[in-house]
């Protein structure tokens, strides 16, 4: 059976739901396929303001996310570097996020992802769960559809003008755009993580903030997901990976004991016993990029394209941001407004720059023999920020800073994350956005397409 669509999206996580929703909202025929049935468990629980107040607003789902009752996150606490005392950052330190958009959320991904997937269906996408995509099909040098196994075990074929691979780091399709996946030499880590009930909270107003605490063999995250549930994970350096091989049930408390700050917060806590939070999980946290992100008829978004170390919770931000860029490109091509090569050149340039800002700063951040003042200055350097050091750091870790880290363009170019928030809240009243690159494209007033800027 052949089903003809304009767009096929593989994967129903935040990236896939964003791409499907923003293309379906333009009236295109969109098929979304996911091998699992939602709600399903996923890691990556700490969001950034650019996703909450920008992407979710453009999708028309921000109010529903607000009503879900997720824990509000106003910033973070770090025990990192040479300062023996933990130090705070707040999103409100940035003028771009001060006021009503100075927070994000800590989310249970099973609930958050279901909200986004249901919203893609509401916007018109044909959402089919329990469908495993096995490969792409081509018409000449163009990807023209996918093969998948339906919920009865039968092989199916669906064709489309565009295929979006949002199926995560385990994607079976990413090589079909050409190029290769390149792993970073800087972030070859392992993550061992689980969930606790009864963990202590930071004092108000910081009780919902993420905590990242370094210790000898790596660092811990500590994320409050509710009044009682806490996500706790140890990211272990490659040279210490042997500590988490074999008996993880013994390894995890030993690692916690090596980090006094985490041990103290968990002193009255116990391991969660209700699924899906009742077991320890291990993930290889190798960071990677790709030499190609798209080809005619196909584009990669989120972890199918690239991934960077999770210390600044950039995973969902990069997934939804790349999906927005891809949706703009697809919508513009399908509307016959801008050529495909030009649209996806804009997609790739913006995506690579956002990824590079996080990567370059993280390389410096992992040099722990320095203090927070140096980290703040480094954030200002890699983003080319013209504000204060603290503002630059807040912009970067809030997903607000897509400025050229050569430092030349921030005066004349609005950061994409800040513009997303502004456009999400004000719509057309946000005004026109200048091009990010010389000769580049700009978003339409509704944020869903590219357009050639007025000269």
């Amino acid at each position: 059976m052949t089903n003809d669509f304009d767009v096929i999206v593989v994967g129903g996580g935040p990236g896939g739901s964003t791409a499907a929703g923003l293309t379906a909202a333009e009236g295109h025929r969109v098929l979304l396929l996911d091998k699992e049935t939602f709600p399903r468990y996923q890691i990556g629980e700490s969001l950034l303001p650019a996703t909450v107040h920008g992407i979710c607003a453009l999708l028309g789902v921000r109010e529903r996310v607000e009503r879900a009752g997720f824990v509000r996150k106003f910033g973070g606490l770090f025990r990192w570097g040479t300062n023996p005392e933990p130090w705070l950052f707040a999103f409100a330190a940035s003028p771009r996020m001060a006021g009503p958009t100075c927070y994000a959320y800590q989310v249970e991904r099973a609930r958050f992802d279901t909200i986004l997937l249901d919203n893609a269906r509401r916007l018109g996408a044909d959402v089919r769960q329990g469908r495993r995509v096995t490969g792409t099909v081509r018409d000449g040098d163009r990807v023209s559809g996918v093969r998948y196994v339906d919920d009865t075990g039968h092989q199916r074929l669906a064709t489309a003008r565009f295929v979006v691979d949002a199926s995560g780091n385990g994607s079976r399709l990413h090589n079909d755009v050409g190029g290769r996946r390149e792993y970073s030499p800087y972030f070859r880590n392992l993550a061992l993580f689980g969930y606790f009930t009864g963990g202590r909270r930071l004092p108000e107003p910081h009780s919902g903030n993420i905590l990242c605490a370094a210790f000898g063999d790596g660092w811990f995250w500590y994320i409050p997901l509710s009044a009682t549930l806490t996500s706790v994970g140890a990211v272990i350096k490659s040279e210490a990976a042997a500590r988490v091989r074999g008996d993880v049930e013994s390894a995890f408390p030993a690692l916690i004991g090596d980090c006094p700050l985490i041990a103290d917060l968990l002193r009255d806590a116990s391991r969660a016993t209700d699924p899906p939070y009742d077991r320890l999980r291990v993930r290889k946290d190798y960071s990677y990029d790709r030499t190609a992100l798209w080809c005619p008829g196909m584009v990669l978004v989120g972890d199918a394209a690239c991934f960077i170390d999770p210390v600044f919770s950039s995973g969902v931000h990069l997934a939804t941001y790349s999906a927005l860029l891809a949706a703009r490109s697809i919508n513009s091509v399908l509307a016959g407004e801008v050529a495909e090569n030009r649209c996806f050149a804009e997609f790739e340039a913006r995506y690579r720059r956002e990824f590079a800002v996080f990567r370059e700063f993280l390389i410096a951040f992992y040099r722990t023999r320095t203090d927070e003042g140096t980290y703040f200055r480094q954030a200002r350097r890699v983003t080319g920020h013209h504000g204060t050091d603290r503002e630059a750091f807040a912009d970067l870790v809030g997903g607000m800073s897509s400025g050229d880290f050569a430092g030349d363009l921030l005066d004349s170019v609005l950061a994409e994350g800040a513009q997303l928030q502004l456009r999400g809240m004000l719509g057309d009243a946000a005004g026109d956005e200048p091009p990010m690159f010389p000769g580049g494209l700009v978003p339409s007033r509704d944020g869903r397409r590219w357009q050639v800027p007025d000269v």
Side-chain angles (χ1 to χ4, degrees):
M1 182 178 67
T2 299
N3 293 316
D4 292 322
F5 297 88
D6 297 310
V7 184
I8 297 172
V9 178
V10 183
S17 293
T18 297
L22 291 175
T23 50
E26 290 287 282
H28 302 308
R29 298 165 300 160
V30 179
L31 173 66
L32 187 152
L33 302 169
D34 196 287
K35 65 182 179 181
E36 298 189 58
T37 299
F38 285 47
R40 55 88 178 99
Y41 171 82
Q42 185 57 273
I43 192 63
E45 297 146 331
S46 196
L47 304 186
L48 303 187
T51 300
V52 173
H53 304 294
I55 301 292
C56 287
L58 289 173
L59 288 167
V61 76
R62 186 170 56 146
E63 288 74 18
R64 184 174 175 192
V65 173
E66 293 270 2
R67 293 194 301 268
F70 296 122
V71 172
R72 285 199 177 191
K73 163 190 172 183
F74 292 95
L77 181 73
F78 282 93
R79 166 66 279 279
W80 201 282
T82 56
N83 188 343
E85 297 299 321
W87 47 274
L88 286 161
F89 80 89
F91 297 130
S94 163
R96 294 184 173 116
M97 290 179 284
T101 61
C102 67
Y103 65 91
Y105 291 111
Q106 319 283 21
V107 298
E108 295 181 69
R109 284 286 302 276
R111 294 172 57 211
F112 177 73
D113 290 10
T114 299
I115 290 172
L116 294 190
L117 186 67
D118 289 346
N119 188 64
R121 184 185 293 108
R122 179 187 67 82
L123 290 170
D126 180 353
V127 175
R128 304 183 191 179
Q129 302 177 69
R131 270 70 167 180
R132 180 171 54 87
V133 175
T134 57
T136 61
V137 295
R138 287 183 175 268
D139 182 4
D141 64 352
R142 186 177 188 85
V143 172
S144 58
V146 301
R147 292 187 178 89
Y148 68 96
V149 179
D150 68 16
D151 55 348
T152 66
H154 290 89
Q155 293 280 345
R156 303 295 185 186
L157 170 69
T159 61
R161 291 279 302 280
F162 286 97
V163 172
V164 179
D165 181 11
S167 58
N169 65 341
S171 166
R172 297 177 173 216
L173 309 180
H174 69 93
N175 286 321
D176 292 1
V177 300
R180 63 188 182 279
R181 182 177 282 184
E182 295 184 336
Y183 289 90
S184 169
Y186 298 104
F187 308 112
R188 295 184 175 274
N189 303 322
L190 283 172
L192 171 61
F193 53 97
Y195 297 83
F196 289 80
T197 57
R200 297 174 63 202
R201 295 290 178 257
L202 301 176
E204 295 294 352
H206 311 297
S207 63
N209 287 0
I210 188 171
L211 166 65
C212 296
F215 69 107
D217 285 334
W219 62 273
F220 271 91
W221 75 68
Y222 190 92
I223 300 173
L225 296 179
S226 72
T228 57
L229 182 66
T230 307
S231 172
V232 181
V235 178
I236 308 301
K237 302 172 185 177
S238 58
E239 54 267 32
R243 294 191 64 179
V244 302
R245 296 194 183 109
D247 185 4
V248 294
E249 291 290 345
S250 297
F252 201 40
L255 291 166
I256 291 171
D258 288 350
C259 188
L261 182 55
I262 299 297
D264 182 59
L265 290 169
L266 292 175
R267 68 172 182 260
D268 299 319
S270 57
R271 286 271 304 282
T273 57
D274 293 333
Y277 302 121
D278 56 338
R279 65 186 182 91
L280 296 177
R281 293 174 169 87
V282 178
R283 297 266 178 102
K284 288 185 178 180
D285 189 31
Y286 292 154
S287 298
Y288 53 86
D289 196 356
R290 293 198 93 265
T291 58
L293 299 177
W294 67 280
C295 71
M298 182 173 174
V299 61
L300 309 179
V301 302
D303 292 1
C306 55
F307 180 79
I308 196 67
D309 184 274
V311 68
F312 291 128
S313 308
S314 58
V316 173
H317 166 65
L318 288 171
T320 55
Y321 176 57
S322 60
L324 168 66
L325 300 177
R328 285 175 179 167
S329 302
I330 291 169
N331 288 337
S332 300
V333 175
L334 292 178
E337 296 173 346
V338 188
E340 183 172 348
N341 284 350
R342 191 171 184 186
C343 284
F344 283 98
E346 187 75 26
F347 156 84
E348 181 162 357
R350 290 188 182 229
Y351 191 9
R352 287 198 184 281
R353 181 161 73 172
E354 186 77 348
F355 182 80
V357 165
F358 279 97
R359 180 186 59 212
E360 294 306 310
F361 181 70
L362 279 164
I363 290 171
F365 197 72
Y366 264 85
R367 298 175 186 138
T368 56
R369 295 181 180 179
T370 187
D371 60 18
E372 63 268 27
T374 303
Y375 297 136
F376 296 160
R377 290 190 293 274
Q378 184 69 7
R380 189 166 180 259
R381 184 191 71 79
V382 300
T383 61
H385 204 291
H386 288 183
T388 68
D389 296 344
R390 283 184 177 271
E391 290 170 0
F393 183 85
D395 274 352
L396 191 155
V397 300
M400 293 291 111
S401 184
S402 296
D404 187 328
F405 49 81
D408 296 330
L409 296 180
L410 209 63
D411 279 344
S412 59
V413 178
L414 291 174
E416 176 81 351
Q419 186 67 21
L420 285 178
Q421 286 202 169
L422 190 63
R423 193 167 300 282
M425 295 185 70
L426 301 181
D428 287 351
D432 293 325
E433 178 182 341
M436 186 171 282
F437 306 97
L441 301 172
V442 298
S444 60
R445 286 292 186 95
D446 62 8
R448 294 178 185 167
R449 297 176 309 284
W450 298 120
Q451 60 188 31
V452 178
D454 296 332
V455 178

